[in-house]
């Protein structure tokens, strides 16, 4: 009898802890243009949980294996390791033992990049890099404002913005995040309550060239008010679960508005652009200019409920990782 391997899967939408189940499955069948990857690590990202709740139900075929990123080792069709590592991106869900990858989109991992960094280099770092280098027309000395300063992606924006000479102002609800953000390269850190009373012009004497909204609702609107007319407002997340007033931002504040989805950038990026972006991120990690937090904890797939509970703890520093066993 052929061996089977663990994976996490959901057959209907709902609370992740309630609808995800541990299953065992055979090795995937490979097409001629595919490679087989045996997973080592896969993090839990907020973006991994959104489709489980059903927000993208119109484009998700059930059952589904969650997980958008990770790292593993390429194996032969029988599951024997070749020793060569690759990123688990643009393939099957990463919360399982084996996934398939299309050969023409494989991101091979350089020998000097560690597994932990590689496992979390896609969702947040690539998003930051694309927004800062391609999505927003930012020049050295420009001011960029971002809210949701307690999120993991804010520390990455701090590092990458500083490298490009962009002054990043960060809005936080909890001042406990202030020093870590400043250490990572933030230009200024402001409490959210302050942005309700004053805009950035009143606080610094300068308007922001652009803003990135990770929260939505009133917080997003307050962030937009600090951007000069003709500037850019990018919606990246919805931590507050409320949409911003798009009409007010576009017409009254006269900002260029956009909604960034990494999935859509992936779809239009050429293979050369795709590869080049990751090589640049590897280069920054190699030089110590982009630091990714170590895992808060690593759980085998069978302990998925504990892992999900740990990841949901707002005090957790770093990502919670899955490993097959």
């Amino acid at each position: 009898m052929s061996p089977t391997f663990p994976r996490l899967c959901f057959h209907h939408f709902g609370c992740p802890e309630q609808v995800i189940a541990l299953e065992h499955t055979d090795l995937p069948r490979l097409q001629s243009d595919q490679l087989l990857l045996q997973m080592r690590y896969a993090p839990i990202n907020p973006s991994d949980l959104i489709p489980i709740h059903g927000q993208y139900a119109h484009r998700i075929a059930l059952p589904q294996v969650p997980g958008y990123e990770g790292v593993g080792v390429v194996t032969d069709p029988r599951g024997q390791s070749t020793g060569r590592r690759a990123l688990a991106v643009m393939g099957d869900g990463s919360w399982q033992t084996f996934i398939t990858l299309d050969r023409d989109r494989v991101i091979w991992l350089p020998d000097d990049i560690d597994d932990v960094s590689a496992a979390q280099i896609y969702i947040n770092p690539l998003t930051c890099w694309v927004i800062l280098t391609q999505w927003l027309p930012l020049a050295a000395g420009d001011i960029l404002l971002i809210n949701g300063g307690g999120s993991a992606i804010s520390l990455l924006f701090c590092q990458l913005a500083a490298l490009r000479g962009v002054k990043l102002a960060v809005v936080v609800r909890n001042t406990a995040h202030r020093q870590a953000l400043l250490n990572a390269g933030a230009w200024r850190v402001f409490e959210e309550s302050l942005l309700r009373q004053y805009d950035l012009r009143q606080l610094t004497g300068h308007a922001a060239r652009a803003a990135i909204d990770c929260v939505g609702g009133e917080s997003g609107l307050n962030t937009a008010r600090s951007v000069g007319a003709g500037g850019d407002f990018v919606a990246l997340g919805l931590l507050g679960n409320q949409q911003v007033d798009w009409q007010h931002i576009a017409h009254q504040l006269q900002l260029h508005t956009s909604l960034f989805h990494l999935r859509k950038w992936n779809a239009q990026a050429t293979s050369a652009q795709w590869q080049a972006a990751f090589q640049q991120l590897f280069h920054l990690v190699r030089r110590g200019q982009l630091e990714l937090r170590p895992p808060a904890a690593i759980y085998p797939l069978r302990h998925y409920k504990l892992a999900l509970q740990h990841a949901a703890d707002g005090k957790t520093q770093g990502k919670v990782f899955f490993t097959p066993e």
Side-chain angles (χ1 to χ4, degrees):
M1 187 173 178
S2 299
T4 59
F5 304 93
R7 71 175 187 179
L8 299 179
C9 191
F10 62 101
H11 292 255
H12 54 276
F13 301 112
C15 174
E17 288 183 50
Q18 296 174 0
V19 300
I20 288 178
L22 180 70
E23 301 178 350
H24 285 76
T25 186
D26 299 328
L27 276 175
R29 293 184 178 181
L30 288 178
Q31 304 295 322
S32 59
D33 59 347
Q34 291 181 325
L35 295 173
L36 186 64
L37 190 73
Q38 183 171 9
M39 294 301 302
R40 284 186 174 174
Y41 297 119
I44 300 175
N45 290 297
S47 57
D48 297 319
L49 304 177
I50 291 173
I52 303 172
H53 285 283
Q55 277 89 331
Y56 306 138
H58 63 284
R59 60 177 174 83
I60 293 179
L62 298 177
Q64 184 85 198
V65 175
Y68 285 129
E69 68 178 337
V71 66
V73 179
V74 172
T75 69
D76 65 23
R78 297 167 296 174
Q80 299 299 309
S81 173
T82 66
R84 195 172 185 189
R85 297 176 301 153
L87 298 187
V89 295
M90 299 293 284
D92 312 314
S94 60
W95 295 2
Q96 56 185 322
T97 307
F98 289 96
I99 71 169
T100 58
L101 300 174
D102 291 340
R103 290 178 184 270
D104 63 351
R105 298 289 277 190
V106 170
I107 303 296
W108 297 107
L109 189 59
D111 291 340
D112 57 353
I113 303 298
D114 64 279
D115 283 345
V116 166
S117 295
Q120 53 185 321
I121 206 167
Y122 171 51
I123 294 294
N124 285 343
L126 186 61
T127 292
C128 294
W129 184 251
V130 170
I131 288 177
L132 290 172
T133 62
Q134 300 179 32
W135 199 263
L136 288 174
L138 296 170
D142 283 345
I143 297 174
L144 174 63
L145 182 64
I146 184 173
N147 59 12
S151 61
I153 201 169
S154 295
L155 289 172
L156 300 175
F157 268 118
C158 288
Q159 296 176 65
L160 295 176
L163 284 174
R164 298 186 62 78
V166 173
K167 298 177 179 178
L168 186 67
V170 186
V171 182
V172 297
R173 292 181 180 178
N174 188 341
T175 56
H177 301 294
R178 179 187 301 275
Q179 196 56 52
L181 292 163
L182 292 171
N183 292 345
W187 173 64
R188 298 282 192 278
V189 178
F190 298 105
E191 291 183 55
E192 188 168 7
S193 58
L194 200 60
L195 264 292
R196 294 194 194 105
Q197 304 175 55
Y198 309 101
D199 63 28
L200 204 62
R201 298 174 191 82
Q202 296 169 299
L203 295 171
T204 68
H206 303 280
R209 171 64 186 80
I212 298 172
D213 174 31
C214 300
V215 180
E218 182 186 3
S219 178
L221 188 57
N222 290 335
T223 303
R225 291 192 182 107
S226 288
V227 180
D232 287 271
F233 177 86
V234 181
L236 181 58
L238 206 62
L239 294 174
N241 294 317
Q242 287 187 331
Q243 291 288 341
V244 294
D245 187 339
W246 289 102
Q247 292 295 321
H248 183 84
I249 293 171
H251 299 298
Q252 272 67 49
L253 301 182
Q254 300 178 30
L255 303 185
H256 302 292
T257 61
S258 62
L259 182 63
F260 183 83
H261 284 299
L262 185 58
R263 175 180 59 87
K264 292 184 178 179
W265 180 84
N266 290 340
Q268 58 83 37
T270 66
S271 179
Q273 289 173 321
W274 171 256
Q275 295 287 341
F278 279 104
Q279 294 308 316
Q280 184 61 56
L281 292 173
F282 291 149
H283 177 68
L284 295 176
V285 170
R286 186 179 293 119
R287 296 184 61 176
Q289 294 176 308
L290 177 62
E291 296 184 6
L292 299 166
R293 284 177 170 177
I298 301 173
Y299 291 86
L301 291 173
R302 65 181 181 275
H303 291 162
Y304 67 94
K305 289 191 176 182
L306 291 175
L308 291 168
Q309 290 168 5
H310 194 160
D313 185 345
K315 298 179 180 179
T316 299
Q317 299 294 309
K319 295 184 183 299
V320 173
F321 279 28
F322 283 121
T323 192
E325 292 293 343

